[in-house]
Amino acid sequence: MTDAPIRVTVWNEFIHEQTAASTREIYPEGIHAALAAALREHLGSAVAVRSATLDEPEHGLTSDVLARTDVLTWWGHKAHDRVNDAVVDRVQRRVLEGMGLLVLHSGHASKIFRRLMGTSCMLRWREAAERERIWIVDPSHPIVDGLEGEFFEIPHTEMYGEYFDIPRPDEVILISWYEGGEVFRSGCTFRRGKGKVFYFSPGHETFPIYHDANVRRIIANAVCWAAPCGSPYFGDGRRIEAPLSPIAAKHIVDESLHRKG
Amino acid sequence: MTDAPIRVTVWNEFIHEQTAASTREIYPEGIHAALAAALREHLGSAVAVRSATLDEPEHGLTSDVLARTDVLTWWGHKAHDRVNDAVVDRVQRRVLEGMGLLVLHSGHASKIFRRLMGTSCMLRWREAAERERIWIVDPSHPIVDGLEGEFFEIPHTEMYGEYFDIPRPDEVILISWYEGGEVFRSGCTFRRGKGKVFYFSPGHETFPIYHDANVRRIIANAVCWAAPCGSPYFGDGRRIEAPLSPIAAKHIVDESLHRKG
Amino acid sequence: MTDAPIRVTVWNEFIHEQTAASTREIYPEGIHAALAAALREHLGSAVAVRSATLDEPEHGLTSDVLARTDVLTWWGHKAHDRVNDAVVDRVQRRVLEGMGLLVLHSGHASKIFRRLMGTSCMLRWREAAERERIWIVDPSHPIVDGLEGEFFEIPHTEMYGEYFDIPRPDEVILISWYEGGEVFRSGCTFRRGKGKVFYFSPGHETFPIYHDANVRRIIANAVCWAAPCGSPYFGDGRRIEAPLSPIAAKHIVDESLHRKG
Amino acid sequence: MTDAPIRVTVWNEFIHEQTAASTREIYPEGIHAALAAALREHLGSAVAVRSATLDEPEHGLTSDVLARTDVLTWWGHKAHDRVNDAVVDRVQRRVLEGMGLLVLHSGHASKIFRRLMGTSCMLRWREAAERERIWIVDPSHPIVDGLEGEFFEIPHTEMYGEYFDIPRPDEVILISWYEGGEVFRSGCTFRRGKGKVFYFSPGHETFPIYHDANVRRIIANAVCWAAPCGSPYFGDGRRIEAPLSPIAAKHIVDESLHRKG
């Protein structure tokens, strides 16, 4: 909680923008550029944003970049399989150590989200440009700070519907209604180690959802919420020989049982 | 919720019992035999128990065995690395489909538990034969059904202490006090897909903890709690072409965006 | 977990059925009779059902009746204010001791639910006979046991919408979609003391919702889920003079500080 | 999330300090003065602190004071009964509207905490000046920001032990170990309406616990965490005549059913 800016890395698969005119029209410089602009617009000098994409070496997520990332945002859709497992390992480790992670829209199927959740993370979907109405079910949460009313709307969206195969979220903040008949837990939090994870479903490659004011505000709020804080993380086994308080028993350990077979 | 017995597979690494006299003395036929006896003692004909061990082909956990398992209990310590990843995949899939999973003691470090949790699952530990006092913090839970009082004790135990690197549990039922100064969330539940997971820390290869009446009762209760129930599981992506309710928008999907790159 | 039947008391305000033809037509013998029939249909001899209504002495909820009630179901709408506070105190105490409580539909505004929740329990509503589609978001839960598919529908319902002012539920099992545009956490659980509480929104005095097969099944499942189990409840302050384990400090207590002012 | 200071009202029963030399020695100007000093020390100009006590008119908690309070801290022990119910109503309403509430130590038995929880909030206790070791079980939480290590200690304390009769907390951040053998969920959060509630057990009238550096830091962190944020609160019933989206059914409401009996 110092005054240093939150260091955000916006990760984008960055394929549709290069191959599909429909995407390029909406996000001419890439989805990552739109997200970075949203963060700068809302957070100004409180944030230092860089981006990284699939085609960069190590997908732009070297150990060095990750070490200097407070919050990582993740957008991918078409090429989850092409993300290297070693990079996924590295991102997971950094989340456990405290790096925040925002998983956006089709990122639900990314390797890193599935790794952190332990479930399939699959869902119902339909691309029909239908209306989505997003209801706030936790008005106390910093992630919805500054929003007005009980809900906001997205006029044309891809439907993501339940059953969404995720562990029980720590917090369900938003629930979406879809014109075509489904509901969805569209804003959920999870802790993993010292890291805070926010899944946020709005956003798509051919609808201009990352230009929506409410969506941008929520993503900016979530970056602040996910920035590392708290006490030290202990993620290795710690053998403690001397007890903190006296133990009556005398005991000789058979060390062979603690050696790996 | 029929009258058919719950089909339990008790999985045991089964190494210490064959190599260490101290373990063999306490569990002459293996930890799995002690656990199976506990289940039969408490649940009688309501349960059908088999066992499986590391050295069997596919560790005794073939697709066929898993398909006919309602609840799997897991004890491992020395050879987590030797568990085949394909078997871990298979167990994970069955948990998501609804198979219950009881992870016992040093099973916290097993591949399957770490896979389902997404965290390191590491902890503090000390083998000093100290006293453990296990407090019930959720007296409403079926897993503590029939226990008496506010706590029970284990006279000599291995200490497992916080910080225990697990996701926030769905339910914390038991919290342990250790003579040497630590605390531990010793009985926790997690849902993954349709499957129910219970982590229970008491139990060790050189202390006769699986002969303790309270420990045995909790494990039997947990088997009943973890038995599959509920509604169908949907763990694949479901594309829904026709909406359930009418949609005003007309929309043509660019199918190329939904093909894998 | 014995074989004795679960003793259920179905409480009904029982006003609309006596004053409104529209209600009488659907529930000629009262909503309580429909609910009791649903329980007997699904649970047979596993349940012993009685009913109680507002106009009986002590609203039919004497200490003696409550002492012999395992699960209480609550339906009220028009006369929450007429429920005596002493009866509310008594029901609350029994819930803490372990009695299950099912709060149905407009019971969200009852004194007992608001007492147990600590919040306003208020919500959006509209009576427009619109369609409700109820999505299952926790397929592992015994309350949805035996349901088929991902959702079920109620063709004509009263809308109850978010924000629903309840504490964060222990479990959200069902989320409703409404034709008119809202969503609702329509099936939620809460623990209070040793008691299990289930709030279930479907049900209304002029729609035949308690004749719906899925609704009836859920209520029967919830009665089984809410039946008391677990370990003893401790709800009084317990002064413990002698420590369980040795304490090094010598200390003289100023007893005057522990006497009430 | 503006730069205006967080307006804190530190409420203290303020009896022991006037009647017991042992308390006066440790807190010569009252527990409220020690707490206010801790907040000013940690938060400086980011906080504006006032205090209020039982013997003031309306206990110092007039509508006007509460309307200008962002976070209320509560310490009481001997005279919970003397707190006026109308003031409790008022504090509850303000919490639901978004005011943060820190309930300290013996405040577990206060009317306001019990009102918000819906349970007895009772516990085990022993005043034996024993050692307490407080373990951090959620290192990601802003309430433990800046703490070091896995735990901290209080050399002499009053024991508060499980079973602590509270609803399942939203977050368990701290678990205490006591020399005499108990454990306790000593730092827990709860949302009620838009308000955030933190219960923190350390603190006592005859041990100098509010002079402890870690305890003071946690209380200061918790004030920041509990400060109001988020979206508007809706705590009244909202009848919505016109649907947000079109409804097929035609329906005439029997308005008599919606009038209070």
Side-chain angles (χ1 to χ4, degrees), chain D residues 193-210:
Chain D
K194 185 176 164 163
K196 302 186 191 78
V197 179
F198 180 54
Y199 176 75
F200 185 47
S201 62
H204 185 258
E205 64 276 9
T206 64
F207 301 115
I209 292 173
Y210 292 128

mmCIF file with all atom_site columns, all heavy atoms in Angstrom, chain D residues 193-210:
data_model
loop_
_atom_site.group_PDB
_atom_site.id
_atom_site.type_symbol
_atom_site.label_atom_id
_atom_site.label_alt_id
_atom_site.label_comp_id
_atom_site.label_asym_id
_atom_site.label_entity_id
_atom_site.label_seq_id
_atom_site.pdbx_PDB_ins_code
_atom_site.Cartn_x
_atom_site.Cartn_y
_atom_site.Cartn_z
_atom_site.occupancy
_atom_site.B_iso_or_equiv
_atom_site.pdbx_formal_charge
_atom_site.auth_seq_id
_atom_site.auth_comp_id
_atom_site.auth_asym_id
_atom_site.auth_atom_id
_atom_site.pdbx_PDB_model_num
ATOM 1   N N   . GLY D 1 193 ? -25.670 -6.363  4.212  1.00 0.00 ? 193 GLY D N   1
ATOM 2   C CA  . GLY D 1 193 ? -26.063 -5.287  3.321  1.00 0.00 ? 193 GLY D CA  1
ATOM 3   C C   . GLY D 1 193 ? -24.817 -4.810  2.601  1.00 0.00 ? 193 GLY D C   1
ATOM 4   O O   . GLY D 1 193 ? -24.037 -5.610  2.092  1.00 0.00 ? 193 GLY D O   1
ATOM 5   N N   . LYS D 1 194 ? -24.626 -3.502  2.578  1.00 0.00 ? 194 LYS D N   1
ATOM 6   C CA  . LYS D 1 194 ? -23.431 -2.953  1.952  1.00 0.00 ? 194 LYS D CA  1
ATOM 7   C C   . LYS D 1 194 ? -22.297 -2.803  2.957  1.00 0.00 ? 194 LYS D C   1
ATOM 8   O O   . LYS D 1 194 ? -21.202 -2.364  2.608  1.00 0.00 ? 194 LYS D O   1
ATOM 9   C CB  . LYS D 1 194 ? -23.783 -1.590  1.322  1.00 0.00 ? 194 LYS D CB  1
ATOM 10  C CG  . LYS D 1 194 ? -22.655 -0.978  0.532  1.00 0.00 ? 194 LYS D CG  1
ATOM 11  C CD  . LYS D 1 194 ? -23.044 0.304   -0.169 1.00 0.00 ? 194 LYS D CD  1
ATOM 12  C CE  . LYS D 1 194 ? -21.758 1.041   -0.584 1.00 0.00 ? 194 LYS D CE  1
ATOM 13  N NZ  . LYS D 1 194 ? -22.021 2.062   -1.582 1.00 0.00 ? 194 LYS D NZ  1
ATOM 14  N N   . GLY D 1 195 ? -22.544 -3.150  4.206  1.00 0.00 ? 195 GLY D N   1
ATOM 15  C CA  . GLY D 1 195 ? -21.551 -2.919  5.256  1.00 0.00 ? 195 GLY D CA  1
ATOM 16  C C   . GLY D 1 195 ? -20.605 -4.090  5.453  1.00 0.00 ? 195 GLY D C   1
ATOM 17  O O   . GLY D 1 195 ? -20.992 -5.248  5.312  1.00 0.00 ? 195 GLY D O   1
ATOM 18  N N   . LYS D 1 196 ? -19.357 -3.765  5.800  1.00 0.00 ? 196 LYS D N   1
ATOM 19  C CA  . LYS D 1 196 ? -18.369 -4.802  6.075  1.00 0.00 ? 196 LYS D CA  1
ATOM 20  C C   . LYS D 1 196 ? -18.131 -4.846  7.576  1.00 0.00 ? 196 LYS D C   1
ATOM 21  O O   . LYS D 1 196 ? -17.922 -3.821  8.216  1.00 0.00 ? 196 LYS D O   1
ATOM 22  C CB  . LYS D 1 196 ? -17.066 -4.489  5.340  1.00 0.00 ? 196 LYS D CB  1
ATOM 23  C CG  . LYS D 1 196 ? -17.230 -4.372  3.829  1.00 0.00 ? 196 LYS D CG  1
ATOM 24  C CD  . LYS D 1 196 ? -15.885 -4.199  3.135  1.00 0.00 ? 196 LYS D CD  1
ATOM 25  C CE  . LYS D 1 196 ? -16.080 -3.813  1.687  1.00 0.00 ? 196 LYS D CE  1
ATOM 26  N NZ  . LYS D 1 196 ? -16.425 -2.362  1.527  1.00 0.00 ? 196 LYS D NZ  1
ATOM 27  N N   . VAL D 1 197 ? -18.132 -6.062  8.109  1.00 0.00 ? 197 VAL D N   1
ATOM 28  C CA  . VAL D 1 197 ? -17.983 -6.273  9.546  1.00 0.00 ? 197 VAL D CA  1
ATOM 29  C C   . VAL D 1 197 ? -16.730 -7.111  9.781  1.00 0.00 ? 197 VAL D C   1
ATOM 30  O O   . VAL D 1 197 ? -16.527 -8.117  9.099  1.00 0.00 ? 197 VAL D O   1
ATOM 31  C CB  . VAL D 1 197 ? -19.224 -7.003  10.116 1.00 0.00 ? 197 VAL D CB  1
ATOM 32  C CG1 . VAL D 1 197 ? -19.070 -7.245  11.608 1.00 0.00 ? 197 VAL D CG1 1
ATOM 33  C CG2 . VAL D 1 197 ? -20.504 -6.222  9.813  1.00 0.00 ? 197 VAL D CG2 1
ATOM 34  N N   . PHE D 1 198 ? -15.901 -6.676  10.719 1.00 0.00 ? 198 PHE D N   1
ATOM 35  C CA  . PHE D 1 198 ? -14.713 -7.454  11.098 1.00 0.00 ? 198 PHE D CA  1
ATOM 36  C C   . PHE D 1 198 ? -14.785 -7.725  12.586 1.00 0.00 ? 198 PHE D C   1
ATOM 37  O O   . PHE D 1 198 ? -14.891 -6.798  13.381 1.00 0.00 ? 198 PHE D O   1
ATOM 38  C CB  . PHE D 1 198 ? -13.434 -6.675  10.772 1.00 0.00 ? 198 PHE D CB  1
ATOM 39  C CG  . PHE D 1 198 ? -12.149 -7.387  11.125 1.00 0.00 ? 198 PHE D CG  1
ATOM 40  C CD1 . PHE D 1 198 ? -11.874 -8.674  10.666 1.00 0.00 ? 198 PHE D CD1 1
ATOM 41  C CD2 . PHE D 1 198 ? -11.192 -6.765  11.927 1.00 0.00 ? 198 PHE D CD2 1
ATOM 42  C CE1 . PHE D 1 198 ? -10.674 -9.318  10.987 1.00 0.00 ? 198 PHE D CE1 1
ATOM 43  C CE2 . PHE D 1 198 ? -9.985  -7.402  12.245 1.00 0.00 ? 198 PHE D CE2 1
ATOM 44  C CZ  . PHE D 1 198 ? -9.733  -8.682  11.776 1.00 0.00 ? 198 PHE D CZ  1
ATOM 45  N N   . TYR D 1 199 ? -14.744 -8.998  12.959 1.00 0.00 ? 199 TYR D N   1
ATOM 46  C CA  . TYR D 1 199 ? -14.629 -9.334  14.366 1.00 0.00 ? 199 TYR D CA  1
ATOM 47  C C   . TYR D 1 199 ? -13.180 -9.691  14.642 1.00 0.00 ? 199 TYR D C   1
ATOM 48  O O   . TYR D 1 199 ? -12.589 -10.512 13.939 1.00 0.00 ? 199 TYR D O   1
ATOM 49  C CB  . TYR D 1 199 ? -15.533 -10.513 14.761 1.00 0.00 ? 199 TYR D CB  1
ATOM 50  C CG  . TYR D 1 199 ? -15.269 -10.849 16.211 1.00 0.00 ? 199 TYR D CG  1
ATOM 51  C CD1 . TYR D 1 199 ? -15.766 -10.033 17.229 1.00 0.00 ? 199 TYR D CD1 1
ATOM 52  C CD2 . TYR D 1 199 ? -14.448 -11.910 16.569 1.00 0.00 ? 199 TYR D CD2 1
ATOM 53  C CE1 . TYR D 1 199 ? -15.466 -10.278 18.560 1.00 0.00 ? 199 TYR D CE1 1
ATOM 54  C CE2 . TYR D 1 199 ? -14.135 -12.162 17.897 1.00 0.00 ? 199 TYR D CE2 1
ATOM 55  C CZ  . TYR D 1 199 ? -14.641 -11.338 18.888 1.00 0.00 ? 199 TYR D CZ  1
ATOM 56  O OH  . TYR D 1 199 ? -14.327 -11.566 20.202 1.00 0.00 ? 199 TYR D OH  1
ATOM 57  N N   . PHE D 1 200 ? -12.629 -9.088  15.703 1.00 0.00 ? 200 PHE D N   1
ATOM 58  C CA  . PHE D 1 200 ? -11.217 -9.282  16.052 1.00 0.00 ? 200 PHE D CA  1
ATOM 59  C C   . PHE D 1 200 ? -11.141 -9.489  17.561 1.00 0.00 ? 200 PHE D C   1
ATOM 60  O O   . PHE D 1 200 ? -11.436 -8.581  18.340 1.00 0.00 ? 200 PHE D O   1
ATOM 61  C CB  . PHE D 1 200 ? -10.435 -8.039  15.629 1.00 0.00 ? 200 PHE D CB  1
ATOM 62  C CG  . PHE D 1 200 ? -8.936  -8.134  15.810 1.00 0.00 ? 200 PHE D CG  1
ATOM 63  C CD1 . PHE D 1 200 ? -8.224  -9.253  15.394 1.00 0.00 ? 200 PHE D CD1 1
ATOM 64  C CD2 . PHE D 1 200 ? -8.228  -7.076  16.372 1.00 0.00 ? 200 PHE D CD2 1
ATOM 65  C CE1 . PHE D 1 200 ? -6.840  -9.322  15.547 1.00 0.00 ? 200 PHE D CE1 1
ATOM 66  C CE2 . PHE D 1 200 ? -6.845  -7.135  16.523 1.00 0.00 ? 200 PHE D CE2 1
ATOM 67  C CZ  . PHE D 1 200 ? -6.153  -8.266  16.111 1.00 0.00 ? 200 PHE D CZ  1
ATOM 68  N N   . SER D 1 201 ? -10.729 -10.681 17.992 1.00 0.00 ? 201 SER D N   1
ATOM 69  C CA  . SER D 1 201 ? -10.849 -11.008 19.414 1.00 0.00 ? 201 SER D CA  1
ATOM 70  C C   . SER D 1 201 ? -9.789  -10.432 20.337 1.00 0.00 ? 201 SER D C   1
ATOM 71  O O   . SER D 1 201 ? -10.092 -10.160 21.497 1.00 0.00 ? 201 SER D O   1
ATOM 72  C CB  . SER D 1 201 ? -10.934 -12.537 19.588 1.00 0.00 ? 201 SER D CB  1
ATOM 73  O OG  . SER D 1 201 ? -9.774  -13.157 19.122 1.00 0.00 ? 201 SER D OG  1
ATOM 74  N N   . PRO D 1 202 ? -8.535  -10.242 19.914 1.00 0.00 ? 202 PRO D N   1
ATOM 75  C CA  . PRO D 1 202 ? -7.568  -9.745  20.901 1.00 0.00 ? 202 PRO D CA  1
ATOM 76  C C   . PRO D 1 202 ? -7.988  -8.412  21.511 1.00 0.00 ? 202 PRO D C   1
ATOM 77  O O   . PRO D 1 202 ? -8.580  -7.573  20.845 1.00 0.00 ? 202 PRO D O   1
ATOM 78  C CB  . PRO D 1 202 ? -6.272  -9.595  20.081 1.00 0.00 ? 202 PRO D CB  1
ATOM 79  C CG  . PRO D 1 202 ? -6.415  -10.602 18.989 1.00 0.00 ? 202 PRO D CG  1
ATOM 80  C CD  . PRO D 1 202 ? -7.882  -10.551 18.639 1.00 0.00 ? 202 PRO D CD  1
ATOM 81  N N   . GLY D 1 203 ? -7.644  -8.230  22.784 1.00 0.00 ? 203 GLY D N   1
ATOM 82  C CA  . GLY D 1 203 ? -8.028  -6.993  23.460 1.00 0.00 ? 203 GLY D CA  1
ATOM 83  C C   . GLY D 1 203 ? -8.760  -7.314  24.730 1.00 0.00 ? 203 GLY D C   1
ATOM 84  O O   . GLY D 1 203 ? -9.640  -8.169  24.729 1.00 0.00 ? 203 GLY D O   1
ATOM 85  N N   . HIS D 1 204 ? -8.385  -6.624  25.816 1.00 0.00 ? 204 HIS D N   1
ATOM 86  C CA  . HIS D 1 204 ? -8.960  -6.951  27.113 1.00 0.00 ? 204 HIS D CA  1
ATOM 87  C C   . HIS D 1 204 ? -8.716  -5.764  28.026 1.00 0.00 ? 204 HIS D C   1
ATOM 88  O O   . HIS D 1 204 ? -7.803  -4.980  27.800 1.00 0.00 ? 204 HIS D O   1
ATOM 89  C CB  . HIS D 1 204 ? -8.283  -8.213  27.661 1.00 0.00 ? 204 HIS D CB  1
ATOM 90  C CG  . HIS D 1 204 ? -8.871  -8.713  28.930 1.00 0.00 ? 204 HIS D CG  1
ATOM 91  N ND1 . HIS D 1 204 ? -8.277  -8.497  30.145 1.00 0.00 ? 204 HIS D ND1 1
ATOM 92  C CD2 . HIS D 1 204 ? -9.998  -9.411  29.168 1.00 0.00 ? 204 HIS D CD2 1
ATOM 93  C CE1 . HIS D 1 204 ? -9.020  -9.077  31.082 1.00 0.00 ? 204 HIS D CE1 1
ATOM 94  N NE2 . HIS D 1 204 ? -10.058 -9.624  30.519 1.00 0.00 ? 204 HIS D NE2 1
ATOM 95  N N   . GLU D 1 205 ? -9.538  -5.667  29.064 1.00 0.00 ? 205 GLU D N   1
ATOM 96  C CA  . GLU D 1 205 ? -9.458  -4.483  29.907 1.00 0.00 ? 205 GLU D CA  1
ATOM 97  C C   . GLU D 1 205 ? -8.272  -4.493  30.865 1.00 0.00 ? 205 GLU D C   1
ATOM 98  O O   . GLU D 1 205 ? -7.882  -3.437  31.354 1.00 0.00 ? 205 GLU D O   1
ATOM 99  C CB  . GLU D 1 205 ? -10.779 -4.275  30.668 1.00 0.00 ? 205 GLU D CB  1
ATOM 100 C CG  . GLU D 1 205 ? -11.153 -5.344  31.665 1.00 0.00 ? 205 GLU D CG  1
ATOM 101 C CD  . GLU D 1 205 ? -11.859 -6.544  31.047 1.00 0.00 ? 205 GLU D CD  1
ATOM 102 O OE1 . GLU D 1 205 ? -11.921 -6.638  29.800 1.00 0.00 ? 205 GLU D OE1 1
ATOM 103 O OE2 . GLU D 1 205 ? -12.314 -7.406  31.807 1.00 0.00 ? 205 GLU D OE2 1
ATOM 104 N N   . THR D 1 206 ? -7.683  -5.667  31.145 1.00 0.00 ? 206 THR D N   1
ATOM 105 C CA  . THR D 1 206 ? -6.557  -5.653  32.087 1.00 0.00 ? 206 THR D CA  1
ATOM 106 C C   . THR D 1 206 ? -5.252  -6.172  31.487 1.00 0.00 ? 206 THR D C   1
ATOM 107 O O   . THR D 1 206 ? -4.267  -6.324  32.212 1.00 0.00 ? 206 THR D O   1
ATOM 108 C CB  . THR D 1 206 ? -6.874  -6.473  33.370 1.00 0.00 ? 206 THR D CB  1
ATOM 109 O OG1 . THR D 1 206 ? -7.047  -7.842  32.997 1.00 0.00 ? 206 THR D OG1 1
ATOM 110 C CG2 . THR D 1 206 ? -8.114  -5.941  34.075 1.00 0.00 ? 206 THR D CG2 1
ATOM 111 N N   . PHE D 1 207 ? -5.243  -6.468  30.220 1.00 0.00 ? 207 PHE D N   1
ATOM 112 C CA  . PHE D 1 207 ? -3.980  -6.773  29.534 1.00 0.00 ? 207 PHE D CA  1
ATOM 113 C C   . PHE D 1 207 ? -3.729  -5.661  28.517 1.00 0.00 ? 207 PHE D C   1
ATOM 114 O O   . PHE D 1 207 ? -4.674  -5.199  27.870 1.00 0.00 ? 207 PHE D O   1
ATOM 115 C CB  . PHE D 1 207 ? -4.050  -8.138  28.835 1.00 0.00 ? 207 PHE D CB  1
ATOM 116 C CG  . PHE D 1 207 ? -4.341  -9.285  29.759 1.00 0.00 ? 207 PHE D CG  1
ATOM 117 C CD1 . PHE D 1 207 ? -5.526  -10.012 29.645 1.00 0.00 ? 207 PHE D CD1 1
ATOM 118 C CD2 . PHE D 1 207 ? -3.447  -9.633  30.767 1.00 0.00 ? 207 PHE D CD2 1
ATOM 119 C CE1 . PHE D 1 207 ? -5.811  -11.059 30.505 1.00 0.00 ? 207 PHE D CE1 1
ATOM 120 C CE2 . PHE D 1 207 ? -3.731  -10.686 31.633 1.00 0.00 ? 207 PHE D CE2 1
ATOM 121 C CZ  . PHE D 1 207 ? -4.914  -11.401 31.505 1.00 0.00 ? 207 PHE D CZ  1
ATOM 122 N N   . PRO D 1 208 ? -2.497  -5.252  28.343 1.00 0.00 ? 208 PRO D N   1
ATOM 123 C CA  . PRO D 1 208 ? -2.220  -4.061  27.506 1.00 0.00 ? 208 PRO D CA  1
ATOM 124 C C   . PRO D 1 208 ? -2.208  -4.380  26.007 1.00 0.00 ? 208 PRO D C   1
ATOM 125 O O   . PRO D 1 208 ? -1.296  -3.982  25.283 1.00 0.00 ? 208 PRO D O   1
ATOM 126 C CB  . PRO D 1 208 ? -0.852  -3.620  28.014 1.00 0.00 ? 208 PRO D CB  1
ATOM 127 C CG  . PRO D 1 208 ? -0.185  -4.879  28.446 1.00 0.00 ? 208 PRO D CG  1
ATOM 128 C CD  . PRO D 1 208 ? -1.279  -5.798  28.964 1.00 0.00 ? 208 PRO D CD  1
ATOM 129 N N   . ILE D 1 209 ? -3.198  -5.108  25.550 1.00 0.00 ? 209 ILE D N   1
ATOM 130 C CA  . ILE D 1 209 ? -3.180  -5.664  24.204 1.00 0.00 ? 209 ILE D CA  1
ATOM 131 C C   . ILE D 1 209 ? -3.356  -4.593  23.133 1.00 0.00 ? 209 ILE D C   1
ATOM 132 O O   . ILE D 1 209 ? -2.825  -4.705  22.030 1.00 0.00 ? 209 ILE D O   1
ATOM 133 C CB  . ILE D 1 209 ? -4.225  -6.804  24.098 1.00 0.00 ? 209 ILE D CB  1
ATOM 134 C CG1 . ILE D 1 209 ? -3.766  -7.975  24.973 1.00 0.00 ? 209 ILE D CG1 1
ATOM 135 C CG2 . ILE D 1 209 ? -4.426  -7.242  22.660 1.00 0.00 ? 209 ILE D CG2 1
ATOM 136 C CD1 . ILE D 1 209 ? -4.754  -9.109  25.129 1.00 0.00 ? 209 ILE D CD1 1
ATOM 137 N N   . TYR D 1 210 ? -4.075  -3.519  23.475 1.00 0.00 ? 210 TYR D N   1
ATOM 138 C CA  . TYR D 1 210 ? -4.233  -2.454  22.474 1.00 0.00 ? 210 TYR D CA  1
ATOM 139 C C   . TYR D 1 210 ? -2.997  -1.558  22.382 1.00 0.00 ? 210 TYR D C   1
ATOM 140 O O   . TYR D 1 210 ? -2.996  -0.583  21.643 1.00 0.00 ? 210 TYR D O   1
ATOM 141 C CB  . TYR D 1 210 ? -5.511  -1.639  22.731 1.00 0.00 ? 210 TYR D CB  1
ATOM 142 C CG  . TYR D 1 210 ? -6.762  -2.455  22.492 1.00 0.00 ? 210 TYR D CG  1
ATOM 143 C CD1 . TYR D 1 210 ? -7.766  -2.540  23.447 1.00 0.00 ? 210 TYR D CD1 1
ATOM 144 C CD2 . TYR D 1 210 ? -6.928  -3.171  21.307 1.00 0.00 ? 210 TYR D CD2 1
ATOM 145 C CE1 . TYR D 1 210 ? -8.900  -3.300  23.228 1.00 0.00 ? 210 TYR D CE1 1
ATOM 146 C CE2 . TYR D 1 210 ? -8.052  -3.939  21.087 1.00 0.00 ? 210 TYR D CE2 1
ATOM 147 C CZ  . TYR D 1 210 ? -9.034  -4.006  22.052 1.00 0.00 ? 210 TYR D CZ  1
ATOM 148 O OH  . TYR D 1 210 ? -10.159 -4.779  21.832 1.00 0.00 ? 210 TYR D OH  1
#
